[in-house]
Amino acid sequence: MNPPRLELRRASKTYQTNGQKLEALRDVSLVLEPGTITALVGRSGCGKTTLLNLAGAMDFPTSGEVLIDGRDTSSLREDELTALRRTRIGFVFQFFQLLPALSVLENVELPLLLAGSQKAREAARNRLEWVGLVDKVNSFPYQLSGGQMQRVAIARALAHSPEILIADEPTGNLDNASGEQVLALLSDAAGRFGATVLVATHSAEAAAIAHTRVQLRDGRIAAFERA
Amino acid sequence: MRQLQLFRTLILRPLRRDLLRTALTIISVALGVGVVIAIDLAGDAATGSFRSSLETLVGKTDLEIVANGGVDERWMAALTALPVNARFAPVIEMQGVLKPAGSVTVYGVDFVSQGPEARAATPLARDPNSAIVVSSGLAQRLGLKEGDHLPLTLSDRTQNFEVAGIADAKDAEFILLDIAEAQRALNQYGRLDRIDVFVSPHEDFSRVEREVRVTLPASYRLEKPGTRGEENQRMLRAFRWNLRVLSYISLVVGAFLIYNTISVSVVRRRAEIGVLRAVGASRRWVLRLFLGEALLFGLAGSLAGIAFGRVMAEGAVGLVAETVNSLYVSSRPAAVALDPSAVAAAIAAGVAVALFSALAPAREAMHVAPVEAMGRGAHEHHSRTHARRNLFWAALAAIIAVALSQARPIDDKPIAGYAATLLAVVAMALAAPAVVTGLAAGTRGASRALFGPEGLLAVRGLAASLARTSVVVGALATAIAMMASVGIMVGSFRETVIVWLDTQLRADLYVRPAAHAGAGEHPALSAEVPGLVSAIPGVESVDIFHALEFEYEGRRATLGAGNADIVRRYGRLRFLPGEDRDAILRSLAGRNRVIVSEPFANKHSVRVNDVLNLPLGDRLVKVTVAGIYFDYSSERGFVIFDRSTLLKYLPHLPATNLAVYVRPGADPASVRHAVEARLANYRVTVAPNRALRQNAVTIFDRTFAITYALEGVAIAVAMLGAANSLLAMVLDRRREFGLLRYLGAAPAQLRRMILLEAGFLGIAANLLGLALGFVLSLVLIYVINKQSFGWTIQFHPPFLLLAGASTLVWLTTVLAGIYPARAAARLNPIEVIHEE
Ligand SMILES: Nc1ncnc2c1ncn2[C@@H]1O[C@H](COP(=O)(O)OP(=O)(O)OP(=O)(O)O)[C@@H](O)[C@H]1O
Ligand SMILES: [Mg+2]
């Protein structure tokens, strides 16, 4: 049997600031499967972003392990991590994080270009079609609304068809209607592309679309519900 | 108080946090100010004081009697017989060579007069003809005492002199010789260089002046002491002006960097400024805040610049002195002294430049609206640059620059020419944004195809931060333009001189006294030397040349005389276009006709067929200008007679140089040996044609060494700027780099991207800089040089050198990107993506 796509085993993260220890995550264990959406909920400062960074292999636990396809992320070299991000992980941020100097199409192409893909343009167009923004390919980010920007960001996160999609409060800056569009896209990503979606959120609507809800409190899993 | 505290937290703290960039900015100001101070101090020291060191012994002279071709000593009798209470002292001044000490000033004075110069000579040595008096300063340095014997070379002979006395003249260094002996050494019997007049304090000065005036011929001049020094300073003025202007270029380059630093500071703190405005800070207050930051840079940089300048001056003084000596007048460099007025001027310049360049960004800060405090994405504020409107202003500046370059000099200085260059730089700076955007748009496809996503991101990133990019490009381009323009000017000049040397130096051998010291010195050859050389087998003809310093319309120039027929036969000299050389040279012999050099003609606005009134000896002589010839050996200018004419007016004039033409078929080397053997008893140098040419080129190159040094500093300042700006860019675009890591960029890709940006900056700067450089070189050659020095330089751009230099600058720009590139690759993506 294949190992689970993404797994946290008793992962803990401790920050050292000015000699003070801060335990942002404590003994978190989770298994995430393809085609599922997992929502991380909890108060501000409970450790959601920290967990996402561990899951996305941008950061590493101080104890315990994070496994992607059964491989411990802490054991990967820099170039292996880069390769992982290029092929298997996509990120969506609360503040969209589009590059203002690049057009919409170029923003979506970017991960493919960085990975050296040959069919970047075509793939990027497909994704923009999927998020319903083909008519904006040549626009620049400042010419878009917040909801449109976030859709571009989702198209970018999925441009290289990653198996893991990590979203940190993707609707945090959007109104209800735009938020719903974004959530629909996330559902689609799990349903149509079979991605493993991990989303941190404060919104009830977002939590509602998830297959699994994980409640964090002070860095620990306080509740775990399957829908 | 409140403002001071806020200044600390808003300005000083970020500066401290960004220590490297702060230091780079201060260093670039310091270098700019330092160079200005160094050139000023070195110029002062190198030109020295032209006060006669004899004054330390005999006291201040009240009047000096001088004449072109020397003062006839017969007038001494008439002067001493005047019923006035004044003392008249004959003086001959020359440069001698003392084995251990090198060149030293030698005064021929009257050892049997009543003056202090004579008293110093008692007790007289046993043989008064071989006695000298040494000044206390020189005696001390060389450890001389009375009774010592010294070999002293004067003109073309070395003689052993006995030290008959030590004259108390503080630390001045000179040698006194009896006047008769001096005349013998100079081969100038009956002639004096000047007569010093000391008027008794009880006597009416103007009466003495009147009496002396009516006694002497009209061609004689009565000068106030110091006139000569002032004349020298004036002669050097154009040279020092040009050097000074060159020294300001580093400061101009530095101005771009301050502008950049303050802009960065404003852009980064827009939200902060918005908050301040929202809580009640006034616009003026915000303006003052950022001008305060600039003031800080200006002051700190200037103060550090003083120390820099003092050190650099030591290095520069030798280079400047060399030029002064070979082109203008013999002077011995004085010690470098930190002149308070020069220091004050440099600090003022540094601070003014800092404030001026900060004005635009500080005003931008002033206009930040309080609502920007609410704007979350300060980073998404895209700078409004008005590329098109700037292009219009650029065109306007260029047009004015062209108009200014047509203007005449003001007070002998090419002021309008300088203004034109400055405006050309301004035009370039204004055109920079349009050029950068154009270039970015034009190369977008190519750089993406060549360098992949890094290429695309690099070009786009630069275009996105257009305001900053254009400033860096402007600074670099200014330095490159300066390098290119001066390089083209010097290269053209060098080529012109080499071509000119070809026509000028046609003889096989040149003979002159070994004691030759520098410009304005014309030691004499012994009377029998030309005859000795002519008689040597293998010598076809000898052109006997006489040179002496003279004064025309208040300016020093060189009067010369040679054999026009020989000059004509050997095809020497090139005249201005349209003039017939043969006819001109044929017309000189025996007639009151002269040829003048181009610088002389330009300085005195002389044209062919003009009549000059030349005071020669006791007479005023009218001569007609038969032709104007190209000359690049001295900007003082020449007036050249045929020997037959000049010797009629100045019969005692000794020969100073010989040009020896070898008979066709004879071996120049063996003729040279024969000449050397024949003149073994004389201290002369016999130089073959090739050596003289090489020497001329060597002097030329040494003359321009200082120019290259100044260019080097300007380039260094621009490099600091490039490093500084790239670093700022990395800091400002942290979030972007962090995001790229999230999107799968490898650290090496980020490094490559920054290096590509550096490379792109370098290319844009090179394009603009070389274009501007060509334009500036035209202004330098045809306006500034022509108006300052009076000679026409042929345009010969040294393409290979330029290509090499601009490649080197380009490579250095890329190198300047290495540290920022590493910094970008080392950023922690998690930290930077989440910070706001
Ligand atoms: N780099 C860091 N250094 C020190 N402490 C950190 C760092 N990053 C996060 N923390 C701390 O770790 C804890 C968890 O932070 P985290 O960002 O994961 O919270 P969060 O659940 O995402 O909150 P929010 O909903 O507000 O985004 C917080 O107390 C935070 O202060
Ligand atoms: Mg968070």
Side-chain angles (χ1 to χ4, degrees):
Chain A
M1 202 188 109
N2 288 337
R5 191 172 279 170
L6 178 58
E7 182 180 1
L8 280 79
R9 279 193 200 152
R10 307 201 54 184
S12 299
K13 179 76 185 178
T14 312
Y15 290 112
Q16 292 270 14
T17 28
N18 307 330
Q20 283 204 326
K21 277 193 180 169
L22 193 139
E23 288 187 82
L25 277 187
R26 311 177 205 211
D27 277 342
V28 171
S29 296
L30 264 183
V31 179
L32 300 162
E33 293 299 345
T36 63
I37 302 180
T38 305
L40 281 179
V41 293
R43 250 181 257 149
S44 180
C46 67
K48 301 184 293 293
T49 300
T50 306
L51 197 157
L52 292 188
N53 281 331
L54 295 189
M58 290 305 296
D59 205 358
F60 309 96
T62 24
S63 72
E65 28 191 38
V66 176
L67 304 163
I68 294 178
D69 294 328
R71 292 183 68 190
D72 183 358
T73 56
S74 305
S75 70
L76 297 177
R77 294 192 313 264
E78 184 65 47
D79 56 333
E80 291 173 312
L81 288 168
T82 301
L84 199 64
R85 276 172 227 139
R86 286 178 177 180
T87 54
R88 325 209 53 174
I89 306 174
F91 290 93
V92 178
F93 307 88
Q94 179 178 357
F95 294 122
F96 327 134
Q97 309 281 18
L98 300 180
L99 291 186
L102 300 186
S103 71
V104 163
L105 186 64
E106 285 167 339
N107 262 292
V108 177
E109 271 185 292
L110 198 54
L112 297 165
L113 290 176
L114 286 170
S117 156
Q118 295 301 315
K119 298 209 177 104
R121 181 133 295 186
E122 210 181 302
R125 266 185 173 280
N126 279 339
R127 285 296 179 260
L128 281 168
E129 219 161 281
W130 171 60
V131 300
L133 288 171
V134 242
D135 50 329
K136 299 281 186 194
V137 282
N138 290 320
S139 304
F140 281 82
Y142 68 91
Q143 297 166 317
L144 302 181
S145 73
Q148 289 171 331
M149 284 201 242
Q150 193 62 303
R151 274 146 69 197
V152 173
I154 292 175
R156 178 180 67 186
L158 288 171
H160 54 302
S161 310
E163 288 151 359
I164 299 168
L165 179 64
I166 289 174
D168 196 350
E169 303 187 33
T171 58
N173 266 315
L174 303 177
D175 64 14
N176 282 337
S178 308
E180 268 165 35
Q181 280 184 312
V182 165
L183 291 175
L185 287 173
L186 291 184
S187 292
D188 212 25
R192 285 238 311 253
F193 306 127
T196 301
V197 180
L198 180 58
V199 52
T201 185
H202 285 291
S203 94
E205 286 86 356
I209 64 155
H211 303 102
T212 311
R213 265 195 304 276
V214 177
Q215 171 108 37
L216 285 181
R217 189 175 301 143
D218 292 336
R220 284 181 203 282
I221 297 185
F224 186 94
E225 311 167 31
R226 268 179 214 279
Chain B
M1 249 357 264
R2 181 187 65 130
Q3 176 139 17
L4 212 63
Q5 197 180 344
L6 278 166
F7 184 75
R8 258 218 314 267
T9 51
L10 285 171
I11 302 288
L12 288 186
R13 198 176 293 161
L15 287 182
R16 252 204 318 264
R17 222 178 297 141
D18 226 352
L19 219 51
L20 182 59
R21 288 196 348 96
T22 307
L24 284 176
T25 308
I26 290 176
I27 290 173
S28 53
V29 177
L31 274 175
V33 171
V35 166
V36 170
I37 292 181
I39 288 302
D40 215 46
L41 296 185
D44 280 344
T47 53
S49 81
F50 294 106
R51 281 222 342 262
S52 161
S53 46
L54 194 57
E55 273 186 11
T56 50
L57 179 66
V58 300
K60 247 188 149 29
T61 321
D62 297 302
L63 274 179
E64 289 175 8
I65 299 167
V66 288
N68 286 336
V71 171
D72 195 320
E73 74 179 358
R74 280 177 310 154
W75 294 106
M76 271 301 289
L79 290 170
T80 35
L82 284 176
V84 292
N85 194 357
R87 189 168 79 81
F88 297 89
V91 179
I92 286 181
E93 185 176 340
M94 62 189 135
Q95 292 296 314
V97 178
L98 208 53
K99 252 282 157 48
S103 184
V104 62
T105 307
V106 178
Y107 295 103
V109 295
D110 191 356
F111 272 2
V112 291
S113 75
Q114 308 301 309
E117 62 270 31
R119 252 171 277 133
T122 46
L124 274 178
R126 280 166 298 283
D127 177 8
N129 285 340
S130 59
I132 53 171
V133 173
V134 177
S135 75
S136 46
L138 190 62
Q140 198 158 22
R141 181 153 72 92
L142 300 180
L144 294 173
K145 53 188 185 321
E146 274 176 41
D148 281 356
H149 284 265
L150 269 185
L152 176 65
T153 305
L154 296 168
S155 290
D156 62 356
R157 265 168 304 194
T158 302
Q159 201 182 327
N160 236 342
F161 286 95
E162 184 183 340
V163 178
I166 309 282
D168 183 15
K170 305 202 192 76
D171 53 0
E173 296 195 352
F174 58 84
I175 288 176
L176 299 182
L177 188 67
D178 189 57
I179 196 137
E181 186 62 22
Q183 286 174 329
R184 197 162 67 82
L186 283 182
N187 192 4
Q188 285 210 43
Y189 297 99
R191 302 262 129 197
L192 306 171
D193 280 341
R194 64 171 193 260
I195 298 174
D196 283 349
V197 185
F198 301 87
V199 179
S200 153
H202 312 295
E203 178 62 281
D204 175 5
F205 181 83
S206 49
R207 195 176 76 88
V208 176
E209 202 174 359
R210 258 195 328 271
E211 293 280 345
V212 171
R213 183 71 271 174
V214 296
T215 311
L216 297 174
S219 59
Y220 277 39
R221 299 190 306 277
L222 289 188
E223 288 181 346
K224 299 267 182 308
T227 312
R228 215 182 132 78
E230 275 164 33
E231 226 297 286
N232 283 333
Q233 296 288 6
R234 213 177 58 134
M235 192 163 63
L236 286 165
R237 218 164 45 174
F239 163 71
R240 291 196 60 186
W241 244 82
N242 276 298
L243 213 53
R244 193 170 291 154
V245 168
L246 226 46
S247 77
Y248 271 91
I249 291 186
S250 293
L251 210 53
V252 173
V253 174
F256 280 97
L257 304 186
I258 293 183
Y259 173 93
N260 186 34
T261 303
I262 307 291
S263 300
V264 169
S265 163
V266 171
V267 168
R268 277 200 198 149
R269 270 166 267 177
R270 276 193 95 83
E272 234 169 80
I273 300 166
V275 173
L276 283 171
R277 295 275 287 118
V279 301
S282 72
R283 294 205 151 156
R284 290 171 54 106
W285 188 88
V286 172
L287 182 76
R288 279 212 298 268
L289 198 66
F290 287 95
L291 286 183
E293 182 176 11
L295 188 69
L296 203 69
F297 282 126
L299 273 178
S302 299
L303 288 175
I306 295 173
F308 257 147
R310 181 70 180 72
V311 174
M312 288 192 281
E314 295 288 349
V317 67
L319 293 174
V320 178
E322 192 129 25
T323 308
V324 168
N325 268 312
S326 60
L327 282 185
Y328 298 93
V329 60
S330 305
S331 81
R332 186 191 300 263
V336 173
L338 208 56
D339 168 23
S341 72
V343 168
I347 292 181
V351 170
V353 163
L355 286 179
F356 177 76
S357 38
L359 211 53
R363 278 174 55 90
E364 191 185 323
M366 183 169 92
H367 291 298
V368 168
V371 290
E372 290 201 34
M374 322 311 174
R376 182 193 68 250
H379 48 274
E380 270 158 37
H381 161 88
H382 44 97
S383 51
R384 296 173 294 264
T385 41
H386 318 278
R388 193 153 310 153
R389 206 178 65 196
N390 284 351
L391 217 48
F392 166 78
W393 289 113
L396 194 68
I399 290 167
I400 299 175
V402 170
L404 280 174
S405 68
Q406 309 299 315
R408 316 213 77 241
I410 301 164
D411 185 25
D412 281 347
K413 293 185 203 110
I415 308 270
Y418 291 130
T421 53
L422 202 61
L423 272 175
V425 172
V426 169
M428 181 279 298
L430 286 170
V435 170
V436 171
T437 2
L439 210 60
T443 56
R444 202 174 120 203
S447 54
R448 185 173 158 168
L450 276 173
F451 304 107
E454 298 97 307
L456 173 74
L457 286 168
V459 170
R460 279 312 186 77
L462 283 177
S465 49
L466 186 58
R468 153 133 10 109
T469 311
S470 344
V471 172
V472 187
V473 167
L476 260 175
T478 305
I480 293 171
M482 134 104 171
M483 176 198 81
S485 62
V486 174
I488 293 172
M489 190 267 283
V490 175
S492 298
F493 199 0
R494 196 170 189 273
E495 188 61 30
T496 305
V497 165
I498 288 172
V499 170
W500 167 77
L501 284 172
D502 251 7
T503 43
Q504 191 71 8
L505 300 179
R506 284 287 166 87
D508 300 289
L509 297 174
Y510 292 86
V511 180
R512 61 168 169 76
H516 180 80
E521 299 286 331
H522 305 286
L525 285 170
S526 296
E528 64 280 12
V529 167
L532 292 176
V533 175
S534 300
I536 292 170
V539 169
E540 185 172 66
S541 43
V542 176
D543 183 6
I544 306 170
F545 197 76
H546 307 254
L548 78 148
E549 187 171 84
F550 84 117
E551 191 157 309
Y552 180 70
E553 289 179 343
R555 290 175 198 230
R556 212 94 43 81
T558 305
L559 194 62
N563 185 326
D565 189 49
I566 295 180
V567 170
R568 187 181 58 76
R569 273 192 287 128
Y570 289 94
R572 265 190 56 202
L573 298 185
R574 211 159 65 78
F575 287 84
L576 293 197
E579 297 182 20
D580 177 358
R581 195 189 60 191
D582 272 21
I584 292 168
L585 290 173
R586 264 186 227 281
S587 76
L588 297 186
R591 312 242 297 269
N592 279 359
R593 287 171 72 81
V594 294
I595 55 174
V596 301
S597 69
E598 190 196 12
F600 184 91
N602 281 331
K603 279 209 179 125
H604 298 279
S605 310
V606 167
R607 269 181 267 157
V608 173
N609 288 332
D610 281 3
V611 174
L612 312 178
N613 261 315
L614 296 184
L616 286 182
D618 296 359
R619 292 205 258 172
L620 274 169
V621 183
K622 280 192 193 318
V623 295
T624 306
V625 176
I628 297 167
Y629 70 99
F630 287 112
D631 180 273
Y632 302 95
S633 62
S634 137
E635 60 144 301
R636 313 157 132 233
F638 285 95
V639 174
I640 307 282
F641 282 86
D642 186 76
R643 283 185 76 209
S644 57
T645 320
L646 190 63
L647 289 182
K648 217 162 61 190
Y649 299 109
L650 301 172
H652 306 287
L653 199 63
T656 51
N657 313 61
L658 303 180
V660 181
Y661 296 85
V662 171
R663 203 180 294 286
D667 175 26
S670 52
V671 172
R672 180 180 157 208
H673 293 312
V675 171
E676 279 170 346
R678 196 73 192 79
L679 300 180
N681 290 331
Y682 301 89
R683 305 300 304 230
V684 293
T685 53
V686 180
N689 185 308
R690 207 158 43 88
L692 214 61
R693 260 177 224 228
Q694 261 165 13
N695 191 34
V697 175
T698 308
I699 289 178
F700 181 92
D701 288 341
R702 255 185 283 158
T703 302
F704 283 99
I706 183 87
T707 317
Y708 288 119
L710 287 177
E711 280 188 37
V713 175
I715 298 266
V717 172
M719 287 305 146
L720 287 180
N724 195 352
S725 316
L726 287 166
L727 205 56
M729 195 180 71
V730 168
L731 293 173
D732 283 359
R733 284 164 55 197
R734 287 202 294 276
R735 243 168 30 87
E736 177 185 333
F737 297 134
L739 174 70
L740 288 172
R741 295 293 304 281
Y742 269 92
L743 298 182
Q749 284 179 307
L750 295 188
R751 271 202 300 272
R752 236 151 70 86
M753 186 176 130
I754 305 279
L755 289 180
L756 281 171
E757 294 197 6
F760 183 89
L761 278 182
I763 289 175
N766 260 302
L767 282 180
L768 268 173
L770 289 177
L772 177 65
F774 264 92
V775 171
L776 290 188
S777 75
L778 295 178
V779 179
L780 278 179
I781 290 176
Y782 297 112
V783 181
I784 292 181
N785 233 285
K786 185 86 191 247
Q787 291 184 2
S788 303
F789 306 115
W791 42 46
T792 303
I793 298 172
Q794 311 294 331
F795 193 63
H796 288 289
F799 286 111
L800 217 62
L801 188 83
L802 286 179
S806 70
T807 310
L808 203 68
V809 170
W810 181 77
L811 282 176
T812 334
T813 325
V814 177
L815 283 182
I818 286 183
Y819 177 74
R822 292 173 55 124
R826 272 201 306 259
L827 291 172
N828 179 351
I830 304 174
E831 277 173 19
V832 295
I833 199 105
H834 288 293
E835 73 188 12
E836 182 61 1

